[in-house]
């Protein structure tokens, strides 16, 4: 822990200027992944975080997707809460619920489908520690306020530290979705409020043996956990979005997210909406006696592939949420895996760029994938010699967008872009008319009275067919969503 | 119309919710409006987008229409920055780690 300066605060103003190969803005998932990758291959990395420790400013729903993290570090040492053993998707009208639950036997076996609930305060700190162990220097309580340019190239960052400017050949922008630095430097446009969601979340605890109560209420054994997603009017009112509920070890996370556009045009206040969702008859009993232990809020970029900014610039790269790499379309809410994957590819591209520059640097001996466990330096990582200046152009970094393009990240974003567009077009049908019709039809179908079952079956079918526009409508609808399972 | 038996949930008040997060006062507001006159002329009482979207009751409309900003409540989510259609929200991060600190996130 002594190499990690977080919690004790930054050291007494050492000089970081011109001492590093790369600066990473933000010790979130994408930032730490990039730092691990670069430091491991011998680059000197400065990881700058505005919070008092990595994770202090970060809020998310709950499920960390770990396929890439597993490749990068020893995941067994990660502070995870529970693995996801049950996924439940539920449509809420104002009073009814229609739900489907999926639990796959294999999910109980390692690697548990690489889906774990986590507490970001713990997880992000641990992940940044992995970067420090690879030799990166982490400084906290330091906000990057702007980028420094020379001849149009990005050559460093301005900070709110007394010594201000820190220059290095490469800056990795991993500042999350609220990308103040990238925007003010003109590397990215401010997202339109149609393409960004407001999210609120509460972590709840039960009095007494909270862990046991959670296991009983969610029918859990040992470390398995549940991920529930809710749609429709009962979840987010007239907005486009959804609500979520995840089980941690001895707390639960509940929250919702919907487009800011809908929040302002439909006048839906996030905290009121959260109260209403929690009071829905289908979920309220889950929260009986629960106490709020933390309340948080955050935005989610959801512009998809077409909203992706230019990923590389002369001296800079954009990763994670800063690059808009989130899949949020109703069925999926995934950003963690794409943040880590993009940080990894960006880190590799920087290593490659330095390799081709072949500058005489003492650290060069450690490059080319060799083990560099001995890189943790007692001086807190600040080397005392300034560096010869190196110029890294966007063209030197092109392998980052190229490899991201080949990875699941861009593949998924592009593949599901149509879905979000369709769902927005069909919102009334999918989130209001159809759930109501299904609930009515189910009520009809399961009615116990003295009429023959066949009659109820026919009426139920008619109710649904009427809503989707007959057989023709049903076929059309199926066709519109065929790519869901392709 | 319905007789759904419903659990009555005792939701914590917003004030209690905000008490759950650690907060260090940066000493001055990290939020502001660019041109106060725009607020007064564009946002009628009850219509301000910043007020509606804010999950922490930071923005409150005063009599003359310009918002009063209780920045100490801010959860640093960024929503108000996107919500204001007049692009009139000045938004920066509190300095040197001040502002909210989440334990759970
Ligand atoms: C409510 C909600 C629920 C979600 N649920 C899920 C889910 O269940 N599963 C999933 O996979 N994804 C989920 N996501 C998405 C996921 O959280 C993000 O995609 C992911 O955290 C992005 O990682 P990142 O590293 O790009 O950004 P972040 O995790 O936001 O990290 C950015 C870091 O940069 C720091 N920083 C920012 N600006 C500066 C600056 N100027 N100077 C210094 N430091 C700075 C921040 O403090 C932070 O540590 C959810 C998001 C939200 C908001
Ligand atoms: S900040 Fe924007 S939304 Fe808020 S009152 Fe002013 S103009 Fe209206
Ligand atoms: S950033 Fe979020 S919490 Fe802070 S004032 Fe804006 S909307 Fe409210």
């Amino acid at each position: 822990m002594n190499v990690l300066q977080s919690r004790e605060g930054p050291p007494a103003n050492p000089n970081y200027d011109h001492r590093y190969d790369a600066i990473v803005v933000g010790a979130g998932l994408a930032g730490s992944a990039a730092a691990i990758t670069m430091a491991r291959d011998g680059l000197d990395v400065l990881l700058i975080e505005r919070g008092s420790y990595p994770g202090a400013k970060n809020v998310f729903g709950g499920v960390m997707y770990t396929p890439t993290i597993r490749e990068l570090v020893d995941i067994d040492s990660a502070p995870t809460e529970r693995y996801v053993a049950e996924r439940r998707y539920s449509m809420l009208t104002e009073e009814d619920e229609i739900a489907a639950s999926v639990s796959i036997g294999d999910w109980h076996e390692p690697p548990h489908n690489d889906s774990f609930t986590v507490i970001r305060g713990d997880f992000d700190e641990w992940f940044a520690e992995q970067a420090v162990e690879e030799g990166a220097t982490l400084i906290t309580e330091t906000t990057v306020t702007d980028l420094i340019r020379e001849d149009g190239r990005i050559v460093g960052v301005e900070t709110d530290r007394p010594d201000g400017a820190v220059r290095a050949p490469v800056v990795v922008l991993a500042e999350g979705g609220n990308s103040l630095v990238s925007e003010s430097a003109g590397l990215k446009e401010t997202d339109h409020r149609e393409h960004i969601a407001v999210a609120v979340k509460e972590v709840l605890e039960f009095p007494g043996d909270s862990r046991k109560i959670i296991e009983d209420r969610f029918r859990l054994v040992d470390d398995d956990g549940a991920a529930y997603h809710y749609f429709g009017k009962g979840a987010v009112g007239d907005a486009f979005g959804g609500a979520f509920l995840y089980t941690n070890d001895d707390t639960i996370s509940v929250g919702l997210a919907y487009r800011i556009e809908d929040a302002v045009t439909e006048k839906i206040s996030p905290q009121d909406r959260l109260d209403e969702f929690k009071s829905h008859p289908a979920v309220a009993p889950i929260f009986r006696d629960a106490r709020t232990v933390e309340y948080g809020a955050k935005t989610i970029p959801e512009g998809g592939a077409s909203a992706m900014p230019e990923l590389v610039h002369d001296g800079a790269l954009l990763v994670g949420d800063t690059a808009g790499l989130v899949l949020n379309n109703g069925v999926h809410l995934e950003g963690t895996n794409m943040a880590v994957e993009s940080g990894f590819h960006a880190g590799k591209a920087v290593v490659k760029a330095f390799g081709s520059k072949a500058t005489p640097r003492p650290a060069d001996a450690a490059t080319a994938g060799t083990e560099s466990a001995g890189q943790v330096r007692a001086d807190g990582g600040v080397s005392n010699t300034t560096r010869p200046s190196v110029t890294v152009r966007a063209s030197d970094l092109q392998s980052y967008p190229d490899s991201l393009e080949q990875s699941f990240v861009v593949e998924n974003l592009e593949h599901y872009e149509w879905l979000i567009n369709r769902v927005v077009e069909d919102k009334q049908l999918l989130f209001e008319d159809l759930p109501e019709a299904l609930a009515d039809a189910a009520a009809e179908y399961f009615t116990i009275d003295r009429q023959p079952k066949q009659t109820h079956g026919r009426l139920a079918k008619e109710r649904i067919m009427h809503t989707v526009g007959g057989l023709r409508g049903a076929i059309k609808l199926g066709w519109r969503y065929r790519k869901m399972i392709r | 119309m319905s007789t759904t038996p419903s659990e009555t949930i005792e939701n914590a008040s917003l004030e209690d919710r905000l008490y759950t997060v650690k907060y260090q006062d940066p000493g001055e507001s990290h939020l502001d409006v660019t041109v106060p006159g725009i607020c007064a002329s564009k946002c009628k009482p009850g219509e301000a987008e910043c007020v509606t979207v804010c999950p922490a009751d930071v923005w409150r409309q005063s009599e003359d229409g310009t918002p009063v900003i209780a920045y100490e409540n801010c959860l640093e989510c960024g929503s108000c920055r996107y919500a204001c259609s007049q692009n009139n929200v000045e938004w920066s991060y509190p300095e040197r780690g001040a502002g909210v600190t989440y334990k759970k996130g």
Side-chain angles (χ1 to χ4, degrees):
Chain A
M1 267 308 270
N2 61 335
V3 286
L4 186 73
Q5 293 141 9
S6 66
R7 294 223 157 126
E8 285 106 65
N13 304 320
N15 189 1
Y16 299 107
D17 202 17
H18 288 303
R19 258 66 170 187
Y20 290 89
D21 298 316
I23 296 166
V24 180
V25 181
L29 303 169
S32 290
I36 290 168
T37 309
M38 294 187 290
R40 181 168 289 165
D41 277 356
L43 296 188
D44 285 328
V45 179
L46 181 66
L47 181 54
I48 303 181
E49 168 57 43
R50 75 183 185 93
S52 58
Y53 66 94
K57 300 285 189 182
N58 301 347
V59 174
F60 92 137
V63 186
M64 184 70 60
Y65 298 104
T66 56
T68 316
I69 296 181
R70 176 181 308 289
E71 296 290 314
L72 281 180
V73 291
D74 173 21
I75 186 114
D76 293 336
S77 69
T80 54
E81 298 281 306
R82 292 173 180 276
Y83 66 84
V84 176
E86 185 199 1
R87 290 188 162 275
R88 196 162 176 280
Y89 296 91
S90 159
M91 271 290 177
L92 299 180
T93 69
E94 264 157 30
E95 319 215 295
D96 316 309
E97 175 181 36
I98 300 265
S101 159
V102 185
S103 39
I104 306 291
D106 250 10
W107 293 352
H108 290 282
E109 303 299 326
H112 302 299
N113 195 31
D114 273 312
S115 313
F116 300 88
T117 56
V118 311
I119 300 289
R120 288 291 291 274
D122 299 336
F123 195 91
D124 289 15
E125 184 172 38
W126 166 83
F127 199 39
E129 265 169 44
Q130 310 305 303
V132 172
E133 274 172 29
E134 292 293 347
T137 304
L138 168 68
I139 52 172
T140 55
E141 294 184 357
T142 302
T143 308
V144 169
T145 51
D146 209 349
L147 297 181
I148 305 171
R149 283 187 194 259
E150 261 168 35
D151 307 327
R153 281 184 300 126
I154 289 147
V155 296
V157 300
E158 292 288 353
T159 72
D160 61 358
R161 300 174 70 81
D163 46 341
V166 186
R167 272 158 289 226
V170 172
V171 178
V172 179
L173 289 148
E175 52 177 331
N178 196 15
S179 330
L180 299 179
V181 180
S182 305
E183 286 176 31
S184 75
L187 306 186
K188 177 184 172 179
E189 281 181 26
T190 308
D191 285 308
H192 190 269
R193 66 190 195 186
E194 270 186 18
H195 294 143
I196 196 142
V198 52
V200 284
K201 170 188 171 179
E202 269 185 306
V203 178
L204 304 173
E205 189 182 65
F206 297 97
D209 191 343
S210 188
R211 188 188 160 94
K212 169 129 197 336
I213 293 171
I214 291 167
E215 287 175 351
D216 290 348
R217 269 182 214 182
F218 290 85
R219 297 160 296 141
L220 307 176
V221 184
D222 299 331
D223 285 339
D224 65 0
Y228 292 2
H229 290 253
Y230 297 89
F231 315 100
K233 224 174 162 130
V236 286
D238 286 322
F240 180 70
F244 54 81
L245 175 56
Y246 303 116
T247 56
N248 303 315
D249 191 21
D250 55 10
T251 55
I252 58 176
S253 300
V254 56
L256 44 82
Y258 52 90
R259 299 194 309 176
I260 291 183
E261 174 73 16
D262 301 335
V264 294
T265 52
E266 308 280 343
K267 299 217 172 23
I268 310 172
S269 133
Q271 79 268 21
D272 293 349
R273 191 54 246 171
L274 181 61
D275 286 347
E276 281 172 59
F277 165 65
K278 283 172 67 190
S279 305
H280 191 283
V283 294
I286 299 175
F287 306 120
R288 186 183 306 135
D289 300 330
R291 191 176 66 87
T292 308
V293 290
E294 191 171 274
Y295 176 61
K298 189 93 175 166
T299 51
I300 312 179
E302 36 185 44
S306 57
M308 253 166 67
E310 201 66 59
L311 296 177
V312 287
H313 302 266
D314 290 345
L317 307 86
L318 274 57
V319 295
D321 277 16
T322 304
L325 307 178
V326 181
L327 189 62
N328 187 12
N329 57 25
V331 186
H332 312 90
L333 172 49
E334 296 177 17
T336 57
N337 47 346
M338 303 208 257
V340 175
E341 182 81 7
S342 64
F344 166 73
H345 287 297
K348 280 288 177 204
V350 175
V351 170
K352 196 168 162 203
F354 270 95
S356 67
K357 298 280 160 193
T359 42
R361 298 184 310 112
D364 269 3
T367 22
T370 47
E371 293 294 319
S372 44
Q375 289 245 326
V376 188
R377 285 174 299 192
D379 60 357
V382 189
S383 57
N384 35 28
T385 47
T386 50
R387 292 295 163 77
S389 70
V390 178
T391 304
V392 177
R393 302 234 165 248
S395 54
D396 299 323
L397 300 167
Q398 186 55 35
S399 68
Y400 165 48
D402 287 351
S403 50
L404 202 66
E405 191 83 34
Q406 302 296 315
S407 75
F408 71 89
V409 175
V410 174
E411 177 91 4
N412 284 353
L413 284 176
E414 281 177 351
H415 181 69
Y416 284 103
E417 181 129 286
W418 66 273
L419 177 60
I420 191 115
N421 295 338
R422 288 279 148 88
V423 172
V424 169
E425 284 163 27
D426 296 344
K427 184 181 148 237
Q428 174 76 23
L429 175 68
L430 293 179
F431 291 112
E432 232 170 285
D433 301 349
L434 200 54
E436 270 166 26
L438 283 171
D440 288 355
E444 181 66 53
Y445 189 85
F446 292 112
T447 299
I448 302 291
D449 61 10
R450 299 179 64 200
Q451 288 194 56
K453 289 250 180 273
Q454 219 183 349
T455 313
H456 289 301
R458 182 173 50 76
L459 289 172
K461 190 171 143 200
E462 275 171 19
R463 175 72 178 86
I464 294 173
M465 282 316 212
H466 176 73
T467 303
V468 297
L471 188 57
R472 242 169 179 221
I475 292 170
K476 239 164 98 184
L477 197 62
W479 183 251
R480 268 172 84 69
Y481 290 91
R482 69 194 180 283
K483 281 200 282 183
M484 281 279 286
I485 47 169
R486 198 193 62 191
Chain B
M1 145 202 130
S2 133
T3 48
T4 317
S6 182
E7 183 82 22
T8 350
I9 284 295
E10 293 251 341
N11 279 306
S13 67
L14 183 65
E15 208 179 9
D16 287 342
R17 279 179 174 149
L18 292 174
Y19 266 121
T20 63
V21 268
K22 201 175 132 198
Y23 177 77
Q24 194 200 328
D25 193 340
E28 57 175 339
S29 179
H30 61 291
L31 307 166
D32 204 351
V33 291
T34 318
V35 185
I38 292 184
C39 301
S41 65
K42 293 286 178 187
C43 289
K44 288 190 230 96
E47 303 271 306
E49 296 150 321
C50 56
V51 176
T52 310
V53 83
C54 178
D57 199 17
V58 171
W59 298 82
R60 297 159 200 181
Q61 265 175 311
S62 68
E63 295 275 302
D64 69 356
T66 44
V68 179
I69 305 169
Y71 71 90
E72 322 80 31
N73 280 1
C74 181
L75 297 168
E76 295 163 37
C77 71
S79 303
C80 51
R81 197 164 81 83
Y82 301 97
C84 173
S85 54
Q86 306 301 319
N87 202 9
N88 203 27
V89 172
E90 288 282 326
W91 209 105
S92 64
Y93 284 122
E95 295 205 330
R96 306 294 320 251
V100 290
T101 289
Y102 293 108
K103 273 213 202 68
K104 308 262 181 205

